[in-house]
């Protein structure tokens, strides 16, 4: 009886301790954080949210995937606290923010390398120049066969696979390759689901497609990534070449945008700081290229000093290196 | 004489089935060919369905573990769970049923039992039939403007349930009307004859007798709602959420949206997790249909005419 009582007391004391400790954490941080936007940035934010909620059970983080444009549509009216974006905010979106008196803080969180892929049975093509890519993908392109791209390549029809027009990947690729965002030939197989593109290219010897590095790395057995020659010789896509800025012009910065008023809230402040502290490890884990540690420090300072506005909006971010991102942040 | 014998011959000829008549033989062959064709098409469809189901089960069975039902979503496939989506779907469907059944059945009763046949009645009927064929994404846009923004329910389970209720109302009204129409007029006449009011006739006789048909329609409509993802993506179902809704104003996700967000991930393991989610969704749908069959059989046993 006595023994049992002691055990019970011990268990109770232990429970009380846990509850108190948990209670302290709960009391410290409580709230709902609404995030929406790019499906490219989603895996990083998802990973951060998962870890953050593990450490702060009182905070509920909800992440949606309505695309970079869809996220900004909700961000500029104040529906959401944080917007994921695989491209900088547009001038028109900045104007809408101003009209609704919404301030925002712009935070680069990682890099992605857009990867041009072909079928592994394609033995004639290992690298491709930006000019050749433009010839294939530009609006009004007359390329029908591989031989139209470079003499000596087979006289077989080229099958093209690419993302749909609502995706940030499409906007970035067309701007980097064709010169104008959203200017592209339209007669290719388009899908918002990158796995459909993977399956398409993996199933046809004469296919070509493009999407984010993570989808290539998960399917590297079924696909062959092309080296891209941006004028300084062919460079293979990969974390190292994206980090060093050599893989140009197809590496791109990924952002989160935080509502200025929300950034005053303790839970959101903690979340964004947690994001920047862990973005390096977590973005790498889900297949992206982290910024250097020093960059995250600079960006964290930027956030905590509450600098509003965009340094990337309306500027040419094509082929931006991490150093340039950093310089822009300072 | 000779013409008569020829006539006789002709008569016996046509009277013998399957005999030497060339047209009859051709018709019989055609008949057999059609039967074979129909059987091939039917079983072909079933076979394709079986292959698809087999593929899904093969892909996903190893992720059907106890923690698949108790964990929330995760970036790690091994510990990713379906809990928020299962509870979210059930919560949303429960609210949807509460909203849609009373309104749908009331509308059907009014249209069948109270409203006189008029141009207006025909106009309403035509519109309901058309609404049943409107693509679900259109209801999503309506829900976004009306419930999320105008009524300011925001991205809550309530918004989703209201939108889904609108989506399935036409189906419920149409099937309930058909069930009510199938109740023999004699039952109504008998009740009126002993002095029952119209509402007494409806509530004591017509509705109980029409229940099996109404329930079938409701279950079919609910099965449609539970598999919808497009309108819910539009009105703010979350891709990543680590809590289950506790009140109608909470954020939520549902099974089809969770499956979709797993399917678009690059990792192969998540496609298998998605397959596991599909299995759970299918089992739930079959269970719903089984419930409908049971209710139907019980109710039908009570009413025989």
């Amino acid at each position: 009886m006595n023994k049992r009582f002691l055990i019970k007391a011990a268990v109770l004391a232990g429970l009380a301790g846990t509850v108190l400790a948990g209670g302290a954490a709960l009391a410290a941080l409580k709230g709902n954080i609404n995030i929406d936007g790019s499906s490219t940035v989603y895996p990083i934010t998802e990973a951060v949210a998962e870890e953050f909620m593990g450490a702060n059970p009182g905070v509920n983080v909800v992440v949606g995937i309505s695309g970079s444009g869809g996220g900004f549509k909700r961000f500029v009216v104040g529906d959401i606290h944080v917007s994921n974006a695989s491209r900088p905010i547009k001038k028109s979106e900045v104007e809408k923010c101003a009209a609704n008196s919404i301030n925002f803080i712009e935070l680069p969180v990682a890099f992605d390398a857009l990867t041009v892929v072909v079928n592994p049975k394609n033995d004639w093509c290992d690298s491709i120049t930006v000019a050749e890519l433009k010839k294939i993908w530009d609006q009004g392109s007359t390329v029908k066969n591989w031989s139209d791209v470079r003499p000596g390549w087979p006289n077989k029809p080229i099958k093209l696979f690419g993302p749909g027009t609502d995706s940030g990947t499409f906007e970035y690729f067309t701007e980097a390759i064709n010169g104008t965002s959203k200017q592209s030939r339209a007669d290719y197989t388009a899908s918002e689901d990158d796995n459909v593109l993977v399956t398409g290219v993996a199933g046809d010897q004469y296919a070509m497609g493009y999407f984010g590095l993570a989808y290539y790395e998960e399917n590297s057995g079924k696909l062959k990534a092309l080296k891209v020659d941006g004028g300084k010789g062919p460079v293979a896509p990969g974390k190292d070449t994206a980090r060093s800025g050599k893989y140009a012009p197809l590496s791109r910065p990924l952002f989160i945008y935080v509502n200025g008023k929300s950034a005053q809230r303790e839970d959101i402040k903690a979340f964004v700081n947690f994001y920047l502290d862990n973005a390096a490890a977590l973005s790498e884990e889900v297949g992206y290229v982290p910024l250097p540690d020093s960059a995250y420090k600079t960006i964290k300072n930027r956030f905590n000093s509450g600098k509003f506005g965009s340094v990337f909006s309306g500027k040419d971010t094509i082929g931006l290196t991490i150093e340039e991102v950093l310089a822009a942040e300072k | 004489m000779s013409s008569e014998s020829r006539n006789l011959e002709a008569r016996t000829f046509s009277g013998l089935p399957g005999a030497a008549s060339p047209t009859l033989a051709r018709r019989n062959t055609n008949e057999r060919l059609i039967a074979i064709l129909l059987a091939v098409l039917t079983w072909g469809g079933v076979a394709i369905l079986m292959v698809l189901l087999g593929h899904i089960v093969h892909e996903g069975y190893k992720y059907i573990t106890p923690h698949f039902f108790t964990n929330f979503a995760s970036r790690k496939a091994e510990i990713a769970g379906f809990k928020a989506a299962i509870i979210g779907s059930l919560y949303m469907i429960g609210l949807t049923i509460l909203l849609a059944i009373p309104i749908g059945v009331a509308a059907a009763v009014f249209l069948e039992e109270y409203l006189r046949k008029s141009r207006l009645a025909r106009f309403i009927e035509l519109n309901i039939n058309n609404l049943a064929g409107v693509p679900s994404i259109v209801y999503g846009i309506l829900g976004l403007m009306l419930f999320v923004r105008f009524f300011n329910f925001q991205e809550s389970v309530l918004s989703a349930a209201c939108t889904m209720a609108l989506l399935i109302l036409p189906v419920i009204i149409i099937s309930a009307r058909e069930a009510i129409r199938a109740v023999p007029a004699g039952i109504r006449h008998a009740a009126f004859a002993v002095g029952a009011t119209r509402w007494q006739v409806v509530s004591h006789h017509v509705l109980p007798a029409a229940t099996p048909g109404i329930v079938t329609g409701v279950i079919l409509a609910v099965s449609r709602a539970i598999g919808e993802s497009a309108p819910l993506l539009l009105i703010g179902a979350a891709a990543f959420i680590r809590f289950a809704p506790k009140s109608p104003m909470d954020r939520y996700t549902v099974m089809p949206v969770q499956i979709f967000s797993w399917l678009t991930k690059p990792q192969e393991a998540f496609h298998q997790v998605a397959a596991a989610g599909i299995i759970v969704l299918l089992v739930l749908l079959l269970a719903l249909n089984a419930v409908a069959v049971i209710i139907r059989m019980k109710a039908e046993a009570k009413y025989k005419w």
Side-chain angles (χ1 to χ4, degrees), chain A:
Chain A
M1 186 68 182
N2 219 352
K3 220 184 206 173
R4 229 187 245 169
F5 173 76
L6 274 178
I7 292 171
K8 265 188 190 166
V11 168
L12 270 179
L15 270 178
T18 327
V19 168
L20 275 178
L26 276 175
L29 282 177
K30 230 176 169 173
N32 295 305
I33 306 180
N34 279 341
I35 305 176
D36 203 345
S38 163
S39 56
T40 307
V41 187
Y42 168 74
I44 309 176
T45 304
E46 179 197 32
V48 173
E50 184 177 359
E51 293 302 317
F52 181 76
M53 283 197 272
N56 300 280
V59 183
N60 286 325
V61 185
V62 178
V63 192
I65 36 173
S66 59
S68 294
F72 277 128
K73 243 175 234 156
R74 301 183 58 204
F75 185 78
V76 299
V77 293
D79 265 359
I80 52 175
H81 305 117
V82 179
S83 187
N84 293 329
S86 61
R87 58 163 174 80
I89 190 166
K90 285 183 188 159
K91 227 179 139 201
S92 59
E93 288 156 348
V94 175
E95 281 158 10
K96 273 181 204 144
C97 277
N100 296 319
S101 35
I102 284 170
N103 287 320
F104 61 87
I105 308 170
E106 176 183 62
L107 306 164
V109 291
F111 260 92
D112 184 22
L114 289 191
T115 307
V116 181
V117 294
V118 293
N119 193 277
K121 280 196 220 134
N122 177 328
D123 52 5
W124 59 89
C125 176
D126 284 318
S127 75
I128 195 158
T129 67
V130 169
E132 284 165 339
L133 281 174
K134 181 173 160 71
K135 199 170 167 191
I136 297 171
W137 288 97
D138 204 358
Q139 200 167 33
S141 165
T142 53
V143 170
K144 286 215 170 68
N145 294 340
W146 280 91
S147 53
D148 298 337
V149 184
R150 198 186 283 181
W153 282 355
N155 192 11
K156 295 275 185 180
I158 184 167
K159 301 258 177 65
L160 296 173
F161 294 84
T165 54
D166 285 338
S167 108
T169 308
F170 172 78
E171 285 188 31
Y172 189 88
F173 184 87
T174 48
E175 190 172 350
I177 298 297
N178 301 336
T180 311
S181 178
K182 296 203 169 192
Q183 174 186 312
S184 169
R185 75 190 289 169
D187 54 341
Y188 64 89
T189 309
S191 172
E192 301 294 342
D193 180 356
D194 292 329
N195 289 308
V196 173
L197 308 179
V198 169
T199 314
V201 178
D204 188 326
Q205 192 186 349
Y206 299 101
M208 172 189 270
Y210 67 90
F211 36 71
L213 181 66
Y215 286 87
Y216 164 68
E217 290 197 327
E218 286 297 330
N219 298 286
S220 52
K222 295 189 264 181
L223 302 168
K224 181 169 124 182
L226 293 184
K227 294 181 187 124
V228 175
D229 185 347
K232 292 178 194 156
V235 180
K239 286 178 182 165
D240 295 333
T241 54
R243 195 179 287 127
S244 65
K246 272 190 196 142
Y247 186 67
L250 288 179
S251 39
R252 57 168 170 174
L254 305 175
F255 300 91
I256 58 171
Y257 285 80
V258 185
N259 181 306
K261 211 180 269 168
S262 316
Q264 312 286 324
R265 261 171 52 180
E266 286 306 316
D267 54 334
I268 294 181
K269 220 182 255 177
F271 175 74
V272 176
N273 276 306
F274 188 91
Y275 202 125
L276 295 171
D277 286 339
N278 295 282
L282 292 175
S283 60
E284 176 124 41
E285 188 187 320
V286 295
Y288 294 100
V289 184
L291 310 175
D293 288 342
S294 56
Y296 288 114
K297 258 180 219 137
T298 319
I299 295 162
K300 226 173 129 177
N301 284 340
R302 178 186 172 78
F303 174 69
N304 289 316
S305 62
K307 269 188 203 153
F308 295 134
S310 168
V311 291
F312 295 100
S313 179
K315 278 196 199 133
D316 194 8
T317 53
I318 301 303
L320 211 61
T321 65
I322 289 167
E323 286 72 29
E324 284 159 346
V325 169
L326 264 178
E329 285 298 311
K330 270 172 190 162

